[in-house]
Amino acid sequence: MSSATPRSRGGARRRREQVRRRRRRRTLAAVLGFVLVVGVGATATAFMLSRADVEPPAGASPGASQSADPGDGATGEPTAEQIDFQDDEPAAAPGAEPCTTVSVLSSFENAEMVGNLAAAYNAQPRDVAGRCVTVVAGKDKSGIAAEEAAAGFPDLGADERPSVWIPDASTWLSIAHAGGGVAVVPEDGVSVGSSNIVLAMPQPLADAVGWADSPPSWGEVFEAADDGQLWADLGHPEWGDFKLGKTSPLIASSGQAAMLSSYATSSGSANLSVADIITPAVAAEVAAHELSVSHYMATPEHFLWHARESEVQGSSADFLSAVIVDETSVWSYNRGITSRDGVTRVAGDPPVDPLVPIYPTDGFYVADNPAVVLNGSWVDDVERAAAEDFLRFSTTAQGQQVVRESGYRDLNGSLDDAVAELTSAESAPSGALAFPDRNVVAAVAEAFPEVRKDAQVLFLVDLSASMGYDNTAGQTRLEGAQHAITAALDHFTAGDRVGLAGFTTTDGTITPGLVAPVADIADNRGALVEGVNSLEPVAHTPLYQAVADFAQQQAAMWDPDRINAIVLLSDGVNATGDIETIGQDDMIHVLHGLHAETPVLVFTLGYSPDADVETLQAISSATGAHYYDATDPTEVEAVLGDLVTSF
């Protein structure tokens, strides 16, 4: 979703349906063990390019076959382009205390690498301007960090604001600039390492379609994702539809790469311009591509956590067929590292079906991890010098070893041997693409609300008596929820269908039920706001019955060309008073049954320390959706805003 001004998408939707009808007439045939997509035509071939056509990100050569030292854990053969990494030169003794603190902000995707660099830097004595130095690493979602950086981090005190920003791709520097952050964010950064953004598939699926050995073009990927019979025709009806996972381009670099690849395929040009983005025929083709998306999520880790949960319950293919992520995420997944919330990482056994990275023949974008020292007034001369020393360390032989061991390609494009083996990553894949200039990136972000898959969403609100309790923000829990839902409506655009319901008990029945029917938000926004404001806390929390009833109602309206979802907000546990309702197992059984034919994603949001987090997680997991934590009620608006960008 986006906060962009709602605009009519009727014409785009008609063009989208025309494209869908054309695509349904095409077939996929298995030839020589791999899938050759028929009918892609010029749009699938005009975008193809060779390694010589690629201009890699500044400071990196992502596709190069290079190695600093064959015995240093790198892959490939040395070439004339090789960077000779210099040794780190720590101080003989640490400078005087108190130490200068360098706060480094990273993206969720590269947080492990940045944290490892900080730890390695801190492990040696440092003396900058006579002071010791301590680097502290923090992280945030890329899109949110860019927005905050553009505004100068207004919600943080001067001593809490970062002095260094290392997003996982240069596009976020562009977004910050486009958002007015010129005074704070330098125009260019220095890459500390790179990770190719690839199509990742569970091994059995990649083998079945033949892409592990014969990579497709992006046009073939989008064509396959639009073919509901692909897996059945290849002898695997149990895998269902081709489920393509993408992150939101407003939040994550992999989402940006996915959209750019779609625009490049649709326009027939790898060198995208703003004119390409706004061309109606191109936009219609991109909108058709988006119809294959199961739903958008905020970070790659959200998708991969669900894939792993799905494998535990049966098969990862039940949740996804392919997902667009960076190589490093593939490495983390294959070694058993997952994260439900993107913050806490959990180590487990490796998956039964590892992911295979696939490098489309017409190019793939590169997350170049640019580091910048911010120009904010809160960064004094000593802190700036210390920050620059940390960035110097990141490009030394020792720093680049940390980069490789963290799953990234170093500045020579080389991977650690163990990382390359576990991910099945190519040592020197051809077709690496630098992200386009900021005007194109900004145009894609602006166009996303017009081309993304439409949503059909019901907000379902717990109206138990506890929603009348005060939260820590000087309002009741319900007042906080009402404000958050009203703000979240701004993320929807004309064409999205949105409704509102509440649940509690009165006189032995579940009330108030449906408050505002699901309808085009262009027509019913006023009714939604009025309905939100009319909600009142009453009595009990018939959670299980309400979820089952409304999931069935939404399933009856299921539309394959929409993301069908419920956003459930609850502050408590199932409590029904004197009325008799179904149990938790019955509710989960209903959700599983619906998911097989008319899947309705039930995103859950725990809205107080008393919320039944375990049950809410079980509800979301049963539907392939995600649980969001707002157990600190003051965070509900930010969390709900994050949630609705993930449809």
Side-chain angles (χ1 to χ4, degrees):
M1 310 307 152
S2 170
S3 56
T5 302
R7 290 172 287 187
S8 173
R9 286 185 280 177
R13 189 173 292 107
R14 286 191 295 273
R15 290 189 296 273
R16 189 186 318 184
E17 183 56 30
Q18 291 170 358
V19 172
R20 282 187 64 83
R21 285 197 294 269
R22 289 201 310 271
R23 289 185 166 216
R24 289 190 184 113
R25 291 194 293 267
R26 299 172 181 170
T27 60
L28 294 177
V31 179
L32 298 178
F34 67 97
V35 170
L36 173 63
V37 180
V38 179
V40 176
T43 57
T45 57
F47 179 29
M48 295 183 68
L49 56 136
S50 68
R51 177 71 180 89
D53 294 324
V54 175
E55 180 181 353
S61 37
S65 175
Q66 300 163 357
S67 168
D69 181 348
D72 196 31
T75 62
E77 296 298 326
T79 74
E81 301 175 10
Q82 175 185 338
I83 297 173
D84 183 15
F85 300 124
Q86 302 300 305
D87 283 332
D88 179 30
E89 296 181 358
E97 296 184 348
C99 294
T100 300
T101 299
V102 175
S103 177
V104 181
L105 177 64
S106 72
S107 298
F108 274 30
E109 291 88 336
N110 63 358
E112 181 178 5
M113 176 184 70
V114 173
N116 290 343
L117 284 170
Y121 179 84
N122 291 338
Q124 298 294 325
R126 306 293 173 184
D127 184 345
V128 177
R131 299 266 295 275
C132 55
V133 180
T134 300
V135 176
V136 178
K139 59 185 175 182
D140 205 343
K141 296 181 179 68
S142 299
I144 294 173
E147 186 176 309
E148 291 295 306
F153 303 96
D155 296 331
L156 299 177
D159 58 343
E160 299 175 307
R161 296 172 186 171
S163 46
V164 174
W165 184 24
I166 311 180
D168 64 315
S170 291
T171 45
W172 301 111
L173 303 182
S174 298
I175 293 293
H177 270 264
V182 177
V184 173
V185 182
E187 184 172 0
D188 298 308
V190 176
S191 176
V192 300
S194 66
S195 188
N196 298 323
I197 298 175
V198 299
L199 184 75
M201 300 182 71
Q203 181 80 59
L205 279 68
D207 289 340
V209 76
W211 291 351
D213 296 322
S214 300
S217 68
W218 281 111
E220 291 171 328
V221 172
F222 299 134
E223 189 85 8
D226 194 46
D227 182 359
Q229 293 299 310
L230 173 64
W231 296 129
D233 290 346
L234 292 174
H236 291 284
E238 73 277 10
W239 292 343
D241 293 336
F242 191 107
K243 295 175 278 290
L244 179 61
K246 296 182 182 180
T247 54
S248 168
L250 306 179
I251 300 294
S253 303
S254 55
Q256 291 179 329
M259 292 303 300
L260 289 165
S261 298
S262 182
Y263 274 105
T265 298
S266 300
S267 67
S269 173
N271 299 313
L272 287 171
S273 66
V274 174
D276 292 325
I277 306 304
I278 63 177
T279 297
V282 173
E285 184 75 13
V286 170
H289 293 166
E290 294 306 293
L291 290 173
S292 65
V293 175
S294 55
H295 62 290
Y296 307 94
M297 284 189 168
T299 70
E301 288 180 314
H302 286 87
F303 269 109
L304 298 182
W305 183 86
H306 280 288
R308 190 59 194 276
E309 285 293 293
S310 185
E311 183 184 85
V312 170
Q313 296 171 15
S315 169
S316 56
D318 293 337
F319 179 72
L320 65 78
S321 300
V323 60
I324 300 170
V325 296
D326 57 277
E327 292 169 317
T328 308
S329 294
V330 175
W331 175 61
S332 293
Y333 183 85
N334 286 356
R335 62 192 171 115
I337 303 295
T338 57
S339 176
R340 177 193 287 271
D341 57 8
V343 178
T344 305
R345 295 164 65 83
V346 177
D349 294 332
V352 174
D353 295 327
L355 293 177
V356 177
I358 295 166
Y359 305 84
T361 57
D362 40 3
F364 49 87
Y365 289 95
V366 179
D368 58 334
N369 298 277
V372 293
V373 180
L374 298 172
N375 293 324
S377 59
W378 59 89
V379 183
D380 62 29
D381 291 343
V382 174
E383 188 174 349
R384 175 173 297 278
E388 290 173 348
D389 190 58
F390 171 65
L391 298 192
R392 173 202 60 79
F393 165 77
S394 299
T395 62
T396 63
Q398 289 73 22
Q400 289 294 288
Q401 180 176 345
V402 171
V403 167
R404 290 191 299 273
E405 291 175 350
S406 299
Y408 285 79
R409 295 179 184 266
D410 66 18
L411 296 179
N412 282 327
S414 299
L415 282 170
D416 178 83
D417 284 336
V419 172
E421 181 178 0
L422 192 59
T423 59
S424 300
E426 293 186 22
S427 62
S430 62
L433 294 167
F435 279 98
D437 68 44
R438 71 180 57 147
N439 294 328
V440 174
V441 173
V444 169
E446 184 176 354
F448 181 59
E450 302 301 320
V451 299
R452 64 164 173 79
K453 191 172 183 178
D454 292 332
Q456 183 162 274
V457 181
L458 178 74
F459 284 93
L460 181 57
V461 184
D462 177 354
L463 297 177
S464 57
S466 58
M467 288 290 281
Y469 296 172
D470 290 341
N471 63 22
T472 56
Q475 54 188 190
T476 67
R477 291 178 184 173
L478 181 57
E479 288 170 342
Q482 289 169 319
H483 188 271
I485 294 171
T486 301
L489 296 179
D490 290 337
H491 291 273
F492 296 90
T493 58
D496 289 320
R497 293 171 52 83
V498 185
L500 173 70
F503 64 96
T504 184
T505 54
T506 301
D507 299 327
T509 60
I510 296 178
T511 59
L514 192 63
V515 177
V518 176
D520 194 320
I521 196 168
D523 302 322
N524 78 333
R525 191 181 192 285
L528 287 167
V529 173
E530 182 179 350
V532 169
N533 292 334
S534 72
L535 299 177
E536 294 182 356
V538 181
H540 300 293
T541 312
L543 178 64
Y544 305 153
Q545 191 72 58
V547 169
D549 288 351
F550 283 105
Q552 289 171 315
Q553 290 179 28
Q554 288 298 100
M557 302 167 57
W558 186 79
D559 184 341
D561 286 349
R562 293 180 181 273
I563 295 171
N564 301 267
I566 291 173
V567 175
L568 169 65
L569 187 152
S570 177
D571 78 330
V573 300
N574 186 73
T576 60
D578 296 331
I579 69 171
E580 184 175 341
T581 67
I582 64 174
Q584 180 174 345
D585 290 344
D586 294 326
M587 173 192 66
I588 296 297
H589 179 73
V590 168
L591 296 178
H592 279 306
L594 296 174
H595 192 63
E597 298 294 335
T598 52
V600 175
L601 304 165
V602 183
F603 294 87
T604 58
L605 189 151
Y607 180 45
S608 83
D610 304 321
D612 185 353
V613 172
E614 184 175 347
T615 295
L616 294 175
Q617 291 175 340
I619 291 170
S620 59
S621 294
T623 67
H626 210 72
Y627 165 77
Y628 288 79
D629 187 352
T631 49
D632 176 356
T634 63
E635 297 293 323
V636 65
E637 183 172 343
V639 172
L640 188 57
D642 184 15
L643 188 160
V644 296
T645 64
S646 301
F647 291 150

